[in-house]
Amino acid sequence: MALLEPISRLGAQLKHLGVCDMFAGGELPSSFFERCTELRFIDFGQMNLSGPIPASIGKLSKLTQLLLSRNKLQGCIPEELGNCTRLTPLSCHTNNL
């Protein structure tokens, strides 16, 4: 997703990211989660995202909230999300997971 590419350049400086309701579309790039390892809060709700949730999301060990609802995400929730032991809540309703 083109929107996340410039944001990911912030890397470990980025702690909170809320870009919901932008209808940006596209897939979640694996590289975004590999670069932004200090993220604690992500709100990607209602962004018209498609494709799978990348396994690299498991690298976000400090993540406490992940909001992915109202998108078009597909597939399974990756096992690697289990590495995010501080995660509460996980909101992923209204997808194709």
Side-chain angles (χ1 to χ4, degrees):
M1 175 179 17
L3 171 70
L4 294 181
E5 196 55 40
I7 294 172
S8 70
R9 292 186 193 125
L10 294 170
Q13 298 174 47
L14 191 60
K15 308 276 192 272
H16 297 81
L17 181 58
V19 289
C20 61
D21 300 321
M22 293 187 66
F23 298 99
E27 293 191 10
L28 291 170
S30 184
S31 60
F32 175 78
F33 300 112
E34 292 168 358
R35 292 181 191 154
C36 301
T37 55
E38 296 296 312
L39 274 168
R40 290 165 173 78
F41 173 87
I42 298 174
D43 187 352
F44 288 159
Q46 200 165 336
M47 288 188 58
N48 203 31
L49 299 173
S50 59
I53 299 171
S56 60
I57 200 164
K59 295 183 183 282
L60 307 181
S61 61
K62 296 179 182 174
L63 190 64
T64 60
Q65 294 185 45
L66 178 59
L67 310 174
L68 299 172
S69 59
R70 301 173 314 222
N71 283 293
K72 297 176 183 175
L73 296 170
Q74 302 169 348
C76 297
I77 296 173
E79 286 182 41
E80 291 83 355
L81 195 58
N83 297 333
C84 304
T85 57
R86 301 176 186 180
L87 185 60
T88 59
L90 165 62
S91 176
C92 56
H93 64 84
T94 320
N95 280 289
N96 296 313
L97 299 170

